[in-house]
Short mmCIF file of all heavy atoms in Angstrom, two decimals:
data_model
loop_
_atom_site.label_atom_id
_atom_site.label_comp_id
_atom_site.label_asym_id
_atom_site.label_seq_id
_atom_site.Cartn_x
_atom_site.Cartn_y
_atom_site.Cartn_z
N ILE A 293 30.51 -91.19 -95.65
CA ILE A 293 31.98 -91.18 -95.57
C ILE A 293 32.40 -92.45 -94.85
O ILE A 293 32.18 -92.60 -93.65
CB ILE A 293 32.48 -89.92 -94.82
CG1 ILE A 293 31.99 -88.65 -95.52
CG2 ILE A 293 34.00 -89.94 -94.72
CD1 ILE A 293 32.31 -87.36 -94.79
N GLY A 294 32.96 -93.40 -95.61
CA GLY A 294 33.34 -94.70 -95.06
C GLY A 294 32.25 -95.72 -95.33
O GLY A 294 31.17 -95.65 -94.74
N SER A 295 32.53 -96.67 -96.24
CA SER A 295 31.48 -97.59 -96.69
C SER A 295 31.81 -99.03 -96.30
O SER A 295 31.76 -99.94 -97.12
CB SER A 295 31.30 -97.47 -98.20
OG SER A 295 32.53 -97.72 -98.86
N GLY A 296 32.14 -99.23 -95.02
CA GLY A 296 32.52 -100.57 -94.55
C GLY A 296 31.38 -101.29 -93.87
O GLY A 296 30.20 -101.09 -94.20
N ASP A 297 31.74 -102.12 -92.89
CA ASP A 297 30.78 -103.00 -92.22
C ASP A 297 29.57 -102.27 -91.65
O ASP A 297 28.43 -102.59 -91.94
CB ASP A 297 31.48 -103.72 -91.06
CG ASP A 297 32.16 -104.98 -91.53
OD1 ASP A 297 32.38 -105.12 -92.74
OD2 ASP A 297 32.48 -105.83 -90.67
N ILE A 298 29.83 -101.28 -90.78
CA ILE A 298 28.71 -100.67 -90.06
C ILE A 298 27.87 -99.79 -90.99
O ILE A 298 26.66 -99.67 -90.80
CB ILE A 298 29.18 -99.89 -88.81
CG1 ILE A 298 28.00 -99.60 -87.88
CG2 ILE A 298 29.87 -98.59 -89.17
CD1 ILE A 298 27.36 -100.84 -87.30
N ALA A 299 28.51 -99.23 -92.01
CA ALA A 299 27.73 -98.42 -92.96
C ALA A 299 26.67 -99.29 -93.62
O ALA A 299 25.53 -98.86 -93.83
CB ALA A 299 28.66 -97.80 -94.00
N ALA A 316 32.09 -91.51 -100.13
CA ALA A 316 33.56 -91.38 -100.13
C ALA A 316 34.15 -92.56 -99.41
O ALA A 316 33.68 -92.93 -98.32
CB ALA A 316 33.98 -90.09 -99.44
N ASP A 317 35.14 -93.17 -100.00
CA ASP A 317 35.93 -94.20 -99.32
C ASP A 317 37.32 -94.21 -99.93
O ASP A 317 37.46 -94.05 -101.15
CB ASP A 317 35.27 -95.60 -99.43
CG ASP A 317 35.77 -96.54 -98.34
OD1 ASP A 317 36.99 -96.75 -98.24
OD2 ASP A 317 34.94 -97.04 -97.56
N VAL A 318 38.32 -94.41 -99.07
CA VAL A 318 39.70 -94.48 -99.57
C VAL A 318 39.99 -95.85 -100.17
O VAL A 318 41.07 -96.07 -100.69
CB VAL A 318 40.72 -94.15 -98.46
CG1 VAL A 318 40.58 -92.69 -98.02
CG2 VAL A 318 40.56 -95.10 -97.27
N ASP A 319 39.04 -96.75 -100.07
CA ASP A 319 39.13 -98.05 -100.74
C ASP A 319 38.10 -98.06 -101.86
O ASP A 319 36.89 -98.17 -101.63
CB ASP A 319 38.85 -99.18 -99.73
CG ASP A 319 39.06 -100.56 -100.33
OD1 ASP A 319 38.88 -100.70 -101.56
OD2 ASP A 319 39.38 -101.49 -99.58
N ARG A 322 35.52 -100.91 -102.09
CA ARG A 322 34.41 -100.85 -101.13
C ARG A 322 33.36 -99.82 -101.57
O ARG A 322 32.17 -100.08 -101.50
CB ARG A 322 34.96 -100.50 -99.75
CG ARG A 322 35.65 -101.69 -99.13
CD ARG A 322 35.93 -101.43 -97.69
NE ARG A 322 36.00 -102.70 -96.98
CZ ARG A 322 35.82 -102.86 -95.68
NH1 ARG A 322 35.57 -101.81 -94.92
NH2 ARG A 322 35.90 -104.04 -95.13
N GLU A 339 37.24 -90.54 -103.63
CA GLU A 339 38.21 -91.02 -102.64
C GLU A 339 38.30 -90.00 -101.50
O GLU A 339 38.48 -90.37 -100.34
CB GLU A 339 39.58 -91.19 -103.30
CG GLU A 339 40.61 -91.75 -102.35
CD GLU A 339 41.98 -91.84 -102.98
OE1 GLU A 339 42.25 -92.84 -103.66
OE2 GLU A 339 42.79 -90.90 -102.78
N TYR A 341 36.76 -87.40 -99.03
CA TYR A 341 35.44 -87.10 -98.44
C TYR A 341 35.08 -85.62 -98.53
O TYR A 341 33.90 -85.26 -98.43
CB TYR A 341 35.40 -87.56 -96.97
CG TYR A 341 36.30 -86.75 -96.07
CD1 TYR A 341 35.84 -85.59 -95.45
CD2 TYR A 341 37.61 -87.12 -95.86
CE1 TYR A 341 36.66 -84.83 -94.65
CE2 TYR A 341 38.45 -86.36 -95.06
CZ TYR A 341 37.97 -85.21 -94.46
OH TYR A 341 38.79 -84.45 -93.67
N ALA A 356 31.24 -93.08 -91.10
CA ALA A 356 31.35 -94.48 -90.67
C ALA A 356 32.76 -95.00 -90.95
O ALA A 356 32.96 -96.14 -91.35
CB ALA A 356 30.30 -95.34 -91.37
N THR A 357 33.72 -94.13 -90.73
CA THR A 357 35.14 -94.46 -90.88
C THR A 357 35.67 -95.06 -89.58
O THR A 357 34.99 -95.01 -88.55
CB THR A 357 35.90 -93.16 -91.19
OG1 THR A 357 35.41 -92.16 -90.28
CG2 THR A 357 35.68 -92.70 -92.60
N PRO A 358 36.91 -95.57 -89.58
CA PRO A 358 37.51 -96.02 -88.31
C PRO A 358 37.68 -94.84 -87.33
O PRO A 358 37.67 -93.67 -87.72
CB PRO A 358 38.88 -96.56 -88.74
CG PRO A 358 38.74 -96.87 -90.20
CD PRO A 358 37.77 -95.87 -90.74
N ASP A 359 37.89 -95.17 -86.05
CA ASP A 359 37.87 -94.17 -84.98
C ASP A 359 38.83 -92.99 -85.21
O ASP A 359 38.52 -91.87 -84.83
CB ASP A 359 38.24 -94.82 -83.63
CG ASP A 359 37.43 -96.06 -83.31
OD1 ASP A 359 36.59 -96.47 -84.12
OD2 ASP A 359 37.66 -96.63 -82.23
N TRP A 361 39.48 -91.55 -87.79
CA TRP A 361 39.00 -90.72 -88.89
C TRP A 361 37.59 -90.20 -88.61
O TRP A 361 36.79 -90.06 -89.54
CB TRP A 361 39.01 -91.51 -90.20
CG TRP A 361 40.15 -91.20 -91.12
CD1 TRP A 361 41.11 -92.04 -91.56
CD2 TRP A 361 40.43 -89.94 -91.76
NE1 TRP A 361 41.97 -91.41 -92.42
CE2 TRP A 361 41.58 -90.11 -92.56
CE3 TRP A 361 39.84 -88.66 -91.72
CZ2 TRP A 361 42.14 -89.08 -93.33
CZ3 TRP A 361 40.40 -87.64 -92.47
CH2 TRP A 361 41.54 -87.86 -93.26
N HIS A 362 37.25 -89.97 -87.33
CA HIS A 362 35.93 -89.42 -87.01
C HIS A 362 35.96 -87.89 -86.87
O HIS A 362 35.17 -87.18 -87.48
CB HIS A 362 35.39 -90.02 -85.70
CG HIS A 362 34.94 -91.44 -85.83
ND1 HIS A 362 34.52 -92.21 -84.77
CD2 HIS A 362 34.82 -92.26 -86.92
CE1 HIS A 362 34.18 -93.41 -85.17
NE2 HIS A 362 34.36 -93.47 -86.46
N GLU A 379 29.55 -92.51 -86.29
CA GLU A 379 29.66 -93.74 -85.49
C GLU A 379 30.42 -93.49 -84.18
O GLU A 379 31.18 -92.55 -84.06
CB GLU A 379 30.33 -94.85 -86.32
CG GLU A 379 29.31 -95.78 -86.97
CD GLU A 379 28.25 -96.30 -85.98
OE1 GLU A 379 28.54 -96.38 -84.78
OE2 GLU A 379 27.12 -96.59 -86.41
N LYS A 380 30.15 -94.35 -83.21
CA LYS A 380 30.88 -94.34 -81.96
C LYS A 380 32.21 -95.04 -82.16
O LYS A 380 32.33 -95.83 -83.09
CB LYS A 380 30.09 -94.99 -80.84
CG LYS A 380 29.46 -96.36 -81.07
CD LYS A 380 30.18 -97.56 -81.56
CE LYS A 380 31.35 -98.09 -80.88
NZ LYS A 380 31.91 -99.34 -81.49
N PRO A 381 33.21 -94.86 -81.31
CA PRO A 381 33.34 -93.76 -80.36
C PRO A 381 33.64 -92.47 -81.13
O PRO A 381 34.41 -92.49 -82.09
CB PRO A 381 34.56 -94.20 -79.53
CG PRO A 381 35.37 -95.06 -80.46
CD PRO A 381 34.38 -95.75 -81.36
N GLY A 406 26.53 -92.83 -82.95
CA GLY A 406 25.91 -94.12 -83.24
C GLY A 406 25.87 -95.10 -82.08
O GLY A 406 26.18 -96.28 -82.26
N THR A 407 25.48 -94.63 -80.91
CA THR A 407 25.29 -95.53 -79.75
C THR A 407 23.82 -95.92 -79.72
O THR A 407 23.02 -95.40 -78.93
CB THR A 407 25.66 -94.81 -78.44
OG1 THR A 407 24.98 -93.55 -78.43
CG2 THR A 407 27.15 -94.57 -78.34
N GLN A 408 23.45 -96.88 -80.59
CA GLN A 408 22.03 -97.18 -80.80
C GLN A 408 21.36 -97.82 -79.60
O GLN A 408 20.14 -97.91 -79.56
CB GLN A 408 21.86 -98.03 -82.06
CG GLN A 408 22.35 -99.46 -81.95
CD GLN A 408 23.85 -99.59 -82.15
OE1 GLN A 408 24.52 -98.62 -82.43
NE2 GLN A 408 24.37 -100.80 -82.01
N LEU A 456 43.16 -99.46 -102.65
CA LEU A 456 43.20 -98.87 -101.29
C LEU A 456 44.29 -97.81 -101.22
O LEU A 456 45.46 -98.10 -101.50
CB LEU A 456 43.48 -99.97 -100.25
CG LEU A 456 43.75 -99.50 -98.83
CD1 LEU A 456 42.51 -98.84 -98.21
CD2 LEU A 456 44.22 -100.66 -97.93
N ARG A 460 46.22 -92.42 -97.11
CA ARG A 460 45.04 -91.65 -96.66
C ARG A 460 44.25 -92.42 -95.61
O ARG A 460 43.64 -91.83 -94.73
CB ARG A 460 44.14 -91.28 -97.84
CG ARG A 460 44.29 -89.81 -98.20
CD ARG A 460 43.25 -89.32 -99.16
NE ARG A 460 42.13 -88.63 -98.50
CZ ARG A 460 42.22 -87.48 -97.84
NH1 ARG A 460 43.38 -86.87 -97.70
NH2 ARG A 460 41.15 -86.93 -97.30
N TRP A 461 44.19 -93.73 -95.71
CA TRP A 461 43.50 -94.52 -94.68
C TRP A 461 44.13 -94.21 -93.32
O TRP A 461 43.43 -94.06 -92.33
CB TRP A 461 43.59 -96.02 -95.00
CG TRP A 461 42.76 -96.88 -94.07
CD1 TRP A 461 41.52 -97.38 -94.32
CD2 TRP A 461 43.11 -97.32 -92.74
NE1 TRP A 461 41.06 -98.09 -93.22
CE2 TRP A 461 42.02 -98.07 -92.24
CE3 TRP A 461 44.22 -97.16 -91.92
CZ2 TRP A 461 42.00 -98.66 -90.97
CZ3 TRP A 461 44.21 -97.73 -90.65
CH2 TRP A 461 43.11 -98.47 -90.19
N CYS A 494 44.24 -102.79 -90.79
CA CYS A 494 43.36 -101.95 -91.62
C CYS A 494 41.90 -102.31 -91.34
O CYS A 494 41.49 -102.30 -90.18
CB CYS A 494 43.76 -102.13 -93.08
SG CYS A 494 42.90 -101.05 -94.22
N HIS A 495 41.14 -102.65 -92.40
CA HIS A 495 39.69 -102.80 -92.28
C HIS A 495 39.26 -103.64 -91.07
O HIS A 495 39.78 -104.73 -90.84
CB HIS A 495 39.11 -103.45 -93.54
CG HIS A 495 39.26 -102.59 -94.76
ND1 HIS A 495 39.23 -101.21 -94.74
CD2 HIS A 495 39.46 -102.92 -96.07
CE1 HIS A 495 39.37 -100.73 -95.97
NE2 HIS A 495 39.53 -101.75 -96.79
N TYR A 496 38.29 -103.16 -90.36
CA TYR A 496 37.65 -103.77 -89.20
C TYR A 496 38.61 -103.98 -88.03
O TYR A 496 38.33 -103.60 -86.90
CB TYR A 496 36.94 -105.09 -89.56
CG TYR A 496 36.17 -105.61 -88.36
CD1 TYR A 496 34.87 -105.15 -88.10
CD2 TYR A 496 36.75 -106.51 -87.46
CE1 TYR A 496 34.19 -105.58 -86.97
CE2 TYR A 496 36.06 -106.93 -86.33
CZ TYR A 496 34.78 -106.47 -86.10
OH TYR A 496 34.10 -106.89 -84.98
N PHE A 498 41.27 -102.60 -87.23
CA PHE A 498 41.94 -101.40 -86.68
C PHE A 498 41.63 -101.23 -85.20
O PHE A 498 42.39 -100.62 -84.45
CB PHE A 498 41.49 -100.14 -87.45
CG PHE A 498 40.02 -99.88 -87.33
CD1 PHE A 498 39.49 -99.24 -86.22
CD2 PHE A 498 39.13 -100.32 -88.30
CE1 PHE A 498 38.14 -99.03 -86.08
CE2 PHE A 498 37.77 -100.12 -88.18
CZ PHE A 498 37.27 -99.48 -87.05
N ARG A 499 40.48 -101.73 -84.73
CA ARG A 499 40.04 -101.50 -83.35
C ARG A 499 40.94 -102.19 -82.32
O ARG A 499 40.80 -101.95 -81.14
CB ARG A 499 38.58 -101.88 -83.14
CG ARG A 499 38.31 -103.21 -83.71
CD ARG A 499 36.93 -103.71 -83.78
NE ARG A 499 35.69 -103.10 -84.02
CZ ARG A 499 35.12 -102.76 -85.18
NH1 ARG A 499 35.81 -102.88 -86.30
NH2 ARG A 499 33.91 -102.30 -85.25
N ASP A 511 35.65 -99.31 -77.86
CA ASP A 511 34.79 -99.96 -78.87
C ASP A 511 33.46 -100.38 -78.24
O ASP A 511 32.38 -99.94 -78.67
CB ASP A 511 35.54 -101.17 -79.44
CG ASP A 511 34.82 -101.79 -80.63
OD1 ASP A 511 34.39 -101.03 -81.50
OD2 ASP A 511 34.66 -103.03 -80.67
N HIS A 515 29.43 -98.24 -75.75
CA HIS A 515 28.04 -98.69 -75.60
C HIS A 515 27.66 -98.83 -74.11
O HIS A 515 26.72 -98.18 -73.64
CB HIS A 515 27.83 -100.05 -76.29
CG HIS A 515 27.82 -99.96 -77.79
ND1 HIS A 515 26.94 -99.15 -78.48
CD2 HIS A 515 28.56 -100.58 -78.74
CE1 HIS A 515 27.14 -99.29 -79.79
NE2 HIS A 515 28.13 -100.14 -79.96
N ARG A 598 21.97 -106.51 -74.25
CA ARG A 598 21.24 -106.48 -75.52
C ARG A 598 20.15 -107.56 -75.59
O ARG A 598 19.31 -107.53 -76.47
CB ARG A 598 22.21 -106.61 -76.69
CG ARG A 598 23.05 -105.36 -76.83
CD ARG A 598 23.85 -105.30 -78.09
NE ARG A 598 24.59 -104.04 -78.11
CZ ARG A 598 25.41 -103.67 -79.06
NH1 ARG A 598 25.60 -104.45 -80.10
NH2 ARG A 598 26.03 -102.51 -79.01
N ARG A 633 18.31 -99.84 -84.05
CA ARG A 633 19.16 -99.16 -85.03
C ARG A 633 18.33 -98.25 -85.93
O ARG A 633 18.68 -97.10 -86.21
CB ARG A 633 19.95 -100.18 -85.87
CG ARG A 633 21.19 -99.60 -86.50
CD ARG A 633 22.01 -100.65 -87.23
NE ARG A 633 22.77 -101.53 -86.37
CZ ARG A 633 23.90 -101.21 -85.74
NH1 ARG A 633 24.39 -100.00 -85.85
NH2 ARG A 633 24.54 -102.10 -85.00
N1 LIG B 192 27.23 -98.73 -83.49
C1 LIG B 192 27.72 -99.95 -83.58
O1 LIG B 192 27.17 -100.91 -83.03
C2 LIG B 192 28.98 -100.19 -84.36
C3 LIG B 192 29.27 -101.48 -84.83
C4 LIG B 192 30.43 -101.65 -85.59
C5 LIG B 192 31.29 -100.57 -85.84
N2 LIG B 192 31.00 -99.35 -85.33
C6 LIG B 192 31.92 -98.21 -85.56
O2 LIG B 192 31.90 -97.86 -86.93
C7 LIG B 192 33.19 -97.41 -87.35
C8 LIG B 192 33.61 -98.20 -88.58
O3 LIG B 192 33.72 -99.56 -88.23
P1 LIG B 192 33.62 -100.73 -89.31
O4 LIG B 192 33.65 -101.98 -88.58
O5 LIG B 192 32.50 -100.43 -90.25
O6 LIG B 192 35.02 -100.52 -90.07
P2 LIG B 192 35.42 -100.93 -91.56
O7 LIG B 192 36.90 -100.98 -91.58
O8 LIG B 192 34.65 -102.11 -92.02
O9 LIG B 192 34.90 -99.68 -92.44
C9 LIG B 192 35.48 -98.40 -92.40
C10 LIG B 192 35.52 -97.86 -93.83
O10 LIG B 192 36.01 -96.51 -93.78
C11 LIG B 192 36.90 -96.34 -94.89
N3 LIG B 192 37.80 -95.20 -94.64
C12 LIG B 192 38.92 -95.12 -93.87
N4 LIG B 192 39.43 -93.87 -93.90
C13 LIG B 192 38.62 -93.14 -94.70
C14 LIG B 192 38.63 -91.78 -95.13
N5 LIG B 192 39.57 -90.92 -94.74
N6 LIG B 192 37.64 -91.37 -95.96
C15 LIG B 192 36.67 -92.23 -96.39
N7 LIG B 192 36.63 -93.54 -96.03
C16 LIG B 192 37.60 -93.98 -95.18
C17 LIG B 192 37.62 -97.67 -94.98
O11 LIG B 192 38.29 -97.84 -96.21
C18 LIG B 192 36.48 -98.64 -94.74
O12 LIG B 192 35.82 -98.99 -95.94
C19 LIG B 192 34.11 -97.59 -86.16
O13 LIG B 192 34.34 -96.37 -85.52
C20 LIG B 192 33.36 -98.56 -85.26
O14 LIG B 192 33.64 -98.37 -83.88
C21 LIG B 192 29.86 -99.14 -84.62
#
Side-chain angles (χ1 to χ4, degrees):
I293 302 175
S295 57
D297 273 18
I298 196 64
D317 201 303
V318 294
D319 185 331
R322 285 191 154 202
E339 183 183 276
Y341 69 89
T357 45
D359 308 2
W361 258 119
H362 286 175
E379 264 310 333
K380 49 52 57 177
T407 50
Q408 71 279 357
L456 171 66
R460 255 192 98 66
W461 187 98
C494 186
H495 295 327
Y496 186 84
F498 62 82
R499 48 188 36 82
D511 188 46
H515 287 303
R598 290 191 179 179
R633 202 175 285 284

